[in-house]
Amino acid sequence: MPQDMTLNVNGMTRTVRVEPGTPLLYVLRNDLELNAPRFGCGLSQCGACTVHIDGKPTRSCVFPTNAAIGRKVTTLEGLSPDGKLHPLQRAFIAEQAAQCGYCGNGMIMTAKALLDRTPRPTEAQVRKALGANLCRCGTHNRIVRAVLRASKEVA
C-alpha cells in the first residue's frame, strides 16, 4: 500500500506517495523529475544511477526510498543548485568526456565523492575510484582526465 514519504532531495523537502521499498531511482526520475540518475542495469552493477546519500555514493536503483527518509539525497542536479556548474561538470565538458552521456551521472557523482575525500588524487586513484562504473562508449580516458582537471580547481 502506498505511503507518504518525506525526503530531503538537493536541499529541498519533498513528499511522495509510493510503495515502501520502491527503488529511490524510480522516485527521483518519475515523481521528482530529476533525470540525471539513469537506469542502467537495475542491479547496482553499472553505476549510472549513482546519487549521494549523506555524502556517500549510492546506487539508487537498489536503494529503497523508505531508507532515504531523514537522510540527505543529492543528485547531479544538486551539484549546481545556483545554476553554476560544478568544477567536475565543467571539466567533463572541457574534456568532452560525455560522449554518449549515459554513464556521466554516475561518473561525476562517484568522482565528487572521491574529490571530497581526496582533493588531489593520482591518476591511479581516479581509475580505482571509477572502476566500478561502466562506460559503454569508451571515453574512460577522457573521464579520468576530466576528474584530474577538476581536482586542480577544487583542491
Side-chain angles (χ1 to χ4, degrees):
M1 173 176 277
Q3 299 175 355
D4 287 338
M5 297 184 198
T6 301
L7 307 171
N8 180 327
V9 180
N10 297 333
M12 297 176 53
T13 301
R14 309 286 300 266
T15 300
V16 294
R17 186 165 186 79
V18 296
E19 294 279 344
T22 300
L24 180 60
L25 175 64
Y26 299 171
V27 170
L28 294 172
R29 290 186 60 84
N30 301 336
D31 297 287
L32 302 181
E33 299 179 350
L34 295 168
N35 295 313
R38 306 263 196 251
F39 182 90
C41 65
L43 301 169
S44 185
Q45 295 179 348
C46 71
C49 65
T50 302
V51 299
H52 286 189
I53 304 287
D54 293 334
K56 295 183 180 174
T58 303
R59 306 289 167 98
S60 65
C61 70
V62 295
F63 193 85
T65 299
N66 54 307
I69 295 171
R71 303 173 79 178
K72 294 175 75 173
V73 178
T74 306
T75 68
L76 182 63
E77 291 92 341
L79 295 186
S80 54
D82 57 359
K84 184 178 175 185
L85 294 179
H86 185 276
L88 276 164
Q89 293 168 308
R90 288 195 303 272
F92 267 62
I93 292 168
E95 294 291 341
Q96 299 180 7
Q99 191 168 27
C100 81
Y102 211 83
C103 71
N105 168 76
M107 293 290 187
I108 291 174
M109 296 305 287
T110 302
K112 168 79 168 68
L114 169 67
L115 296 182
D116 286 348
R117 66 177 185 275
T118 309
R120 296 296 300 242
T122 65
E123 182 176 330
Q125 288 172 313
V126 172
R127 289 186 183 280
K128 182 177 180 183
L130 299 178
N133 289 67
L134 301 180
C135 172
R136 297 178 182 154
C137 63
T139 61
H140 211 79
N141 289 330
R142 290 179 184 211
I143 291 168
V144 170
R145 283 197 310 264
V147 174
L148 291 170
R149 182 184 192 127
S151 73
K152 294 174 185 168
E153 191 173 334
V154 298

